[in-house]
């Protein structure tokens, strides 16, 4: 737990008067490898991190939601029967979106007073929004006396994003925020939703997250653009190979794509090459992880970053500077951007004995090349969303 629950409870009492009757949490995540593959029905390998969103709540007798976002010092009120977006308090949309999906499933919903407190950095590619959705879902589960299965909970979160919030995102973030497990990474097949928890078994290497501390405003539109480009490549392959049932890039192999280099125009071709090669790397990364082979995993992470920079074009000058600086430092097995891209964080696999020096030198080098102050986050894999 990274949030002090007693303090959060005290804040709840101060804000709403009286004791809460439910406390829930959900973590942020970092993706080790498998980027921009989820919405193509490919493979991902994320882990939940020791940064989380906590909700302290009490049932209300009516159908209203009274929320206090203590980090932002913002308040919002909504009705669970008139579910509308809130332009002034957009963070509330994630919670109202969850009620909308629960209502569609005819699950018991009630009003609540609740306080939200979290330490997942906002807008940095560590899935603060998935953490908020999955924490909100846990709150409604605890009040309604029902519990969704892990994959169904994640799918509900994805529908909130795709529907209420209008983002074409995949299922990775919600899945890991709900199903993550302490000391494990999670290998997910985004088509079947079969998953495997892989123990973190590197004898001497650890993951280090480096935040560029800059996010780009255009992430959502650029993201949706990439989704469209992948679809275009898929349709061209579907027509070429006469595979009428194909729906996602997952229905094709990298070799099948490569022979069409001259007939699929760019950028669609390069986008698809990233996705299909990333699926191969992600499966190889699982093997490396099971074998505790940090050197091999590091190489795959670096290859993933090259592909995201050159073929998928979702890095930024700051992400490139951070990853390049990391690779020059002693003890670094590999470095790559993580999450949607265009800003946010990198993830690095580093020898434990070098971590302190690595963190210091990396921040120095990043400052020297960009003029910006970054931030290092070191985290073990954490548990998924729970009712405390
Ligand atoms: C965002 C989305 C995920 C995934 C990543 C890129 O985090 O929410 O579904 O597509 O970007 O891998």
């Amino acid at each position: 737990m990274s949030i002090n629950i007693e303090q959060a409870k005290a804040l709840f009492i101060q804000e709403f008067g009286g004791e809460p009757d439910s406390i829930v949490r959900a973590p942020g995540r970092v993706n080790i490898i498998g980027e921009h593959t989820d919405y193509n029905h490919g493979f991902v390998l994320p882990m939940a991190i020791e940064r989380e969103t906590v909700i302290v709540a009490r049932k209300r007798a009516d159908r209203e939601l009274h929320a206090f976002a203590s980090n932002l010092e913002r308040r919002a009120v909504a009705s669970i029967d008139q579910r509308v977006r809130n332009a002034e308090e957009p963070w509330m949309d994630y919670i109202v979106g969850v009620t909308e999906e629960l209502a569609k499933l005819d699950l018991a919903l009630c009003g609540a007073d609740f306080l939200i407190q979290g330490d997942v950095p906002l807008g940095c590619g560590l899935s603060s929004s998935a953490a908020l959705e999955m924490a909100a879902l846990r709150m409604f589960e605890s009040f309604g006396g029902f519990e969704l299965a892990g994959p169904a909970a994640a799918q509900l979160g994805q529908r909130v994003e795709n529907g209420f919030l209008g983002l074409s995102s995949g299922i990775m973030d919600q899945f890991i925020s709900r199903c993550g497990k302490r000391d494990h990474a999670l290998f997910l097949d985004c088509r079947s939703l079969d998953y495997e928890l892989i123990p973190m078994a590197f004898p001497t290497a650890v993951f280090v997250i480096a935040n560029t501390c800059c996010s780009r405003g255009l992430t959502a539109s650029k993201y949706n653009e990439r989704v469209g480009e992948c679809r275009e490549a898929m349709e061209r392959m579907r027509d070429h190979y006469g595979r009428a049932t194909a729906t996602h890039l997952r229905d094709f192999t990298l070799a099948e794509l490569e022979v069409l280099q001259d007939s699929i125009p760019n950028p669609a071709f390069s986008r698809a090459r990233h996705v299909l090669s990333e699926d191969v790397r992600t499966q190889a990364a699982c093997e490396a992880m099971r074998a505790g082979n940090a050197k091999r995993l590091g190489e795959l992470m670096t290859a993933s970053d090259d592909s995201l920079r050159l073929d998928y074009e979702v890095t930024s000058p700051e992400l490139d500077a951070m990853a390049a600086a990391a690779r020059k430092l002693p003890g670094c097995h590999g470095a790559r951007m993580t999450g949607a891209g265009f800003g946010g964080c990198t993830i690095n696999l580093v020898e434990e004995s070098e971590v302190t020096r690595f963190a210091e030198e990396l921040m120095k080098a990043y400052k020297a090349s960009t003029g910006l102050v970054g931030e290092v986050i070191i985290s073990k894999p954490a548990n998924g969303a729970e009712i405390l």
Side-chain angles (χ1 to χ4, degrees):
M1 293 281 328
S2 57
I3 295 292
N4 183 326
I5 296 295
E6 286 313 311
Q7 243 171 38
K9 239 168 111 172
L11 266 179
F12 174 92
I13 294 168
Q14 193 182 315
E15 177 73 16
F16 296 105
E19 294 280 323
D21 41 38
S22 172
I23 303 180
V24 298
R25 63 167 283 280
R29 66 98 186 89
V30 67
N31 191 18
I32 298 167
I33 196 166
E35 216 66 85
H36 288 280
T37 49
D38 58 355
Y39 51 84
N40 292 299
H41 279 186
F43 303 102
V44 294
L45 183 63
M47 67 182 220
I49 57 172
E50 294 163 317
R51 294 290 188 107
E52 63 200 357
T53 297
V54 164
I55 299 182
V56 182
R58 185 179 58 204
K59 255 188 187 179
R60 288 177 62 95
D62 61 16
R63 309 271 294 167
E64 288 186 354
L65 300 171
H66 290 234
F68 175 45
S70 63
N71 303 92
L72 310 172
E73 287 270 340
R74 305 290 298 179
R75 292 169 178 80
V77 175
S79 154
I80 49 179
D81 299 314
Q82 286 142 32
R83 296 173 293 269
V84 286
R85 300 273 302 257
N86 184 337
E88 257 121 75
E89 309 299 338
W91 51 274
M92 190 64 171
D93 292 346
Y94 295 92
I95 292 138
V96 175
V98 168
T99 65
E100 169 154 286
E101 289 302 325
L102 288 172
K104 283 186 198 156
L105 295 175
D106 257 337
L107 286 164
L109 275 167
C110 67
D113 292 327
F114 56 97
L115 168 135
I116 306 164
Q117 192 168 44
D119 61 0
V120 187
L122 303 180
C124 293
L126 298 177
S127 290
S128 55
S129 41
L132 182 54
E133 288 155 11
M134 292 298 102
L137 176 57
R138 276 301 195 198
M139 172 179 78
F140 291 116
E141 286 179 325
S142 83
F143 286 156
F146 59 89
E147 184 171 13
L148 298 183
Q155 283 174 308
L156 183 142
Q158 188 189 11
R159 290 198 300 274
V160 172
E161 300 264 339
N162 296 170
F164 200 68
L165 301 169
L167 289 168
S168 313
S169 48
I171 197 161
M172 167 170 70
D173 306 345
Q174 289 78 13
F175 207 99
I176 183 65
S177 181
R178 174 76 178 218
C179 302
K181 188 172 169 211
R182 204 175 153 193
D183 296 330
H184 291 72
L186 187 154
F187 175 54
L188 173 66
D189 176 337
C190 300
R191 168 153 273 177
S192 64
L193 300 190
D194 287 339
Y195 69 100
E196 178 191 344
L197 290 160
I198 304 184
M200 202 62 89
F202 299 117
T204 59
V206 293
F207 288 109
V208 176
I209 300 165
N211 188 353
T212 62
C213 295
C214 56
S215 52
R216 287 218 177 147
L218 286 176
T219 308
S221 62
K222 290 275 172 203
Y223 186 97
N224 288 351
E225 187 181 292
R226 294 295 179 278
V227 175
E229 289 159 350
C230 290
R231 172 138 209 106
E232 184 194 334
M234 185 282 293
E235 284 170 356
R236 285 186 184 261
M237 282 200 277
R238 188 189 58 197
D239 296 347
H240 178 88
Y241 290 107
R243 211 167 289 164
T245 53
T247 54
H248 291 77
L249 284 177
R250 173 70 179 276
D251 291 304
F252 301 93
T253 64
L254 184 56
E256 284 174 326
L257 171 73
E258 273 167 346
V259 296
L260 298 182
Q261 175 139 28
D262 296 328
S263 52
I264 300 179
N266 267 321
F269 176 82
S270 335
R271 305 303 189 234
R273 182 167 57 191
H274 162 71
V275 171
L276 293 177
S277 64
E278 185 80 348
D279 277 340
V280 175
R281 282 186 291 273
T282 305
Q283 293 173 84
C286 282
E287 285 307 312
M289 204 142 172
R290 287 192 201 100
N293 188 340
K295 184 169 174 288
R296 173 79 182 127
L297 179 57
E299 286 162 6
L300 290 161
M301 288 167 64
T302 295
S304 162
D305 193 63
D306 291 340
S307 176
L308 286 156
R309 184 177 67 255
L310 301 169
D311 271 352
Y312 219 66
E313 297 181 281
V314 289
T315 63
S316 66
E318 295 80 14
L319 282 167
D320 293 344
M322 191 73 97
R327 286 180 201 125
K328 290 189 194 131
L329 295 173
C332 178
H333 292 294
R336 61 179 288 274
M337 61 145 276
T338 183
F342 306 109
C345 294
T346 63
I347 177 166
N348 309 271
L349 185 57
V350 182
E351 277 301 302
E352 207 162 6
S353 58
E354 297 284 352
V355 164
T356 311
R357 188 149 68 115
F358 174 85
E360 276 171 27
E361 295 294 320
L362 182 61
M363 290 301 99
K364 259 197 240 161
Y366 179 65
K367 175 99 200 286
S369 65
T370 62
L372 298 168
V373 177
E375 174 198 14
V376 166
I377 299 172
I378 297 175
S379 172
K380 291 197 179 122
N383 276 333
E386 35 191 8
I387 299 170
L388 297 172

